[in-house]
């Protein structure tokens, strides 16, 4: 006859089996957690690497326009509002934010990840606020831009920067003046097309904007969706780092 198993021995074996089960389940959970962490980490890293390269390109174009000053100054009330300055600022912001995302993801640094998240959130809120303000004050903005462009035309022959700006825009857009050739006192400059029915640059720019409003809207929505995805990835990776740290601590 087989010897009877004592209660203490049976209890120890059951405890061992349960411990082994929980151990292997914990190892499997840890393995799945590490795999998810690696996937999120590299997705966020390459996501931000692409944007960092785009920021470098934008910054490069901005520096090029600052050096060559092809578009000059159109608004003398805002002399810093040039194409080169705008591109340099936008490119620099993209590079800084993308750098935080890259380093935070590859180093699994929670501080950098949360900084990346907060900056993206601020940029997204600023974009939404700007869109609302543009919608509410559209007519005032139109009047302000038209007035500023009309004032800059009056300084065409006295300011080389303004002359370079108007010559570049009129040649590029094939337009003349703000609303048409009548904006120029006397004969229009050589950069204006010879067609007497040519449209003004501001009128042509508004027509182009309205005709491509759908595409502009789609691009804007895509940019916002990408920003939200970046924020979601950063927050998810941050939470996954916490979970992995807790499992390793156990």
């Amino acid at each position: 006859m087989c010897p009877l198993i004592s209660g203490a021995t049976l209890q120890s074996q059951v405890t061992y089996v349960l411990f082994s089960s929980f151990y292997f389940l914990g190892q499997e959970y840890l393995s799945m957690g590490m795999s998810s962490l690696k996937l999120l980490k590299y997705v966020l890293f390459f996501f931000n690497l692409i944007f960092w390269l785009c920021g470098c390109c934008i910054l490069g174009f901005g520096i090029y326009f600052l050096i060559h000053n092809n578009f000059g100054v159109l608004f003398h009330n805002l002399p810093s509002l040039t194409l080169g300055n705008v591109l340099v600022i936008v490119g620099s912001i993209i590079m800084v934010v993308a750098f935080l995302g890259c380093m935070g993801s590859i180093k699994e640094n929670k501080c950098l990840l949360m900084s990346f998240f907060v900056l993206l959130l601020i940029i997204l809120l600023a974009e939404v606020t700007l869109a609302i303000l543009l919608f509410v004050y559209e007519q005032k903005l139109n009047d302000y831009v038209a007035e500023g462009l009309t004032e800059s035309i009056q300084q065409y022959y006295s300011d080389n920067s303004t002359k370079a700006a108007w010559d570049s825009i009129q040649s590029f857009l094939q337009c003349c003046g703000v609303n048409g050739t009548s904006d120029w006192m006397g004969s229009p400059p050589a950069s204006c097309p010879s067609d007497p029915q040519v449209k003004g640059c501001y009128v042509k720019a508004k027509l182009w904007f309205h005709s491509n409003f759908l595409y502009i809207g789609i691009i804007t929505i895509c940019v916002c969706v990408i920003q939200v995805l970046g924020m979601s990835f950063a927050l998810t990776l941050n939470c996954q780092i916490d979970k992995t740290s807790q499992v390793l601590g156990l």
Side-chain angles (χ1 to χ4, degrees), residues 195-210:
D195 184 4
Q197 301 298 323
V198 66
K199 291 183 174 64
C201 295
Y202 187 50
V203 174
K204 197 166 185 178
K206 287 199 297 183
L207 289 174
W208 178 88
F209 178 82
H210 288 298

Side-chain angles (χ1 to χ4, degrees), residues 107-121:
K107 296 291 186 181
E108 299 179 17
N109 188 300
K110 294 176 59 179
C111 181
L112 292 178
L113 284 174
M114 291 311 297
S115 299
F116 171 74
F117 174 84
V118 171
L119 284 177
L120 271 186
L121 180 61

Side-chain angles (χ1 to χ4, degrees), residues 121-175:
L121 180 61
I122 292 172
I123 293 171
L124 183 62
L125 292 176
E127 290 171 349
V128 172
T129 304
L130 180 62
I132 294 173
L133 291 176
L134 289 176
F135 178 77
V136 173
Y137 298 103
E138 180 183 3
Q139 188 56 49
K140 289 185 178 180
L141 180 64
N142 285 334
D143 296 339
Y144 178 80
V145 172
E147 182 182 350
L149 292 175
T150 302
E151 290 178 358
S152 69
I153 281 182
Q154 299 172 1
Q155 303 184 30
Y156 177 83
Y157 293 104
S158 59
D159 188 350
N160 291 330
S161 179
T162 303
K163 184 177 185 301
W166 274 108
D167 287 342
S168 299
I169 290 174
Q170 290 180 147
S171 300
F172 181 73
L173 296 178
Q174 290 296 294
C175 56

Side-chain angles (χ1 to χ4, degrees), residues 15-197:
T15 304
Y16 175 76
V17 171
L18 290 174
F19 178 79
S20 301
S21 300
F22 283 120
Y23 175 78
F24 287 117
L25 285 174
Q27 290 295 317
E28 184 177 356
Y29 177 79
L30 178 60
S31 178
M32 292 174 60
M34 294 299 290
S35 300
S36 302
L37 182 63
K38 285 183 179 180
L39 178 62
L40 281 173
K41 179 170 72 173
Y42 289 116
V43 167
L44 190 60
F45 174 77
F46 286 111
F47 173 84
N48 283 284
L49 181 61
I50 293 172
F51 272 88
W52 186 82
L53 293 174
C54 292
C56 289
C57 294
I58 295 173
L59 179 63
F61 281 118
I63 294 173
Y64 172 82
F65 285 124
L66 283 178
I67 293 173
H68 292 275
N69 200 26
N70 290 338
F71 289 94
V73 179
L74 279 177
F75 299 96
H76 287 268
N77 293 332
L78 298 170
S80 299
L81 186 62
T82 63
L83 181 61
N85 288 337
V86 171
L87 291 179
V88 166
I89 293 172
V90 172
S92 300
I93 292 174
I94 292 175
M95 287 181 64
V96 170
V97 175
F99 178 78
L100 288 176
C102 283
M103 295 304 295
S105 59
I106 204 68
K107 296 291 186 181
E108 299 179 17
N109 188 300
K110 294 176 59 179
C111 181
L112 292 178
L113 284 174
M114 291 311 297
S115 299
F116 171 74
F117 174 84
V118 171
L119 284 177
L120 271 186
L121 180 61
I122 292 172
I123 293 171
L124 183 62
L125 292 176
E127 290 171 349
V128 172
T129 304
L130 180 62
I132 294 173
L133 291 176
L134 289 176
F135 178 77
V136 173
Y137 298 103
E138 180 183 3
Q139 188 56 49
K140 289 185 178 180
L141 180 64
N142 285 334
D143 296 339
Y144 178 80
V145 172
E147 182 182 350
L149 292 175
T150 302
E151 290 178 358
S152 69
I153 281 182
Q154 299 172 1
Q155 303 184 30
Y156 177 83
Y157 293 104
S158 59
D159 188 350
N160 291 330
S161 179
T162 303
K163 184 177 185 301
W166 274 108
D167 287 342
S168 299
I169 290 174
Q170 290 180 147
S171 300
F172 181 73
L173 296 178
Q174 290 296 294
C175 56
C176 189
V178 181
N179 299 302
T181 55
S182 59
D183 292 326
W184 296 99
M185 299 298 178
S187 59
S191 56
C192 278
S194 57
D195 184 4
Q197 301 298 323

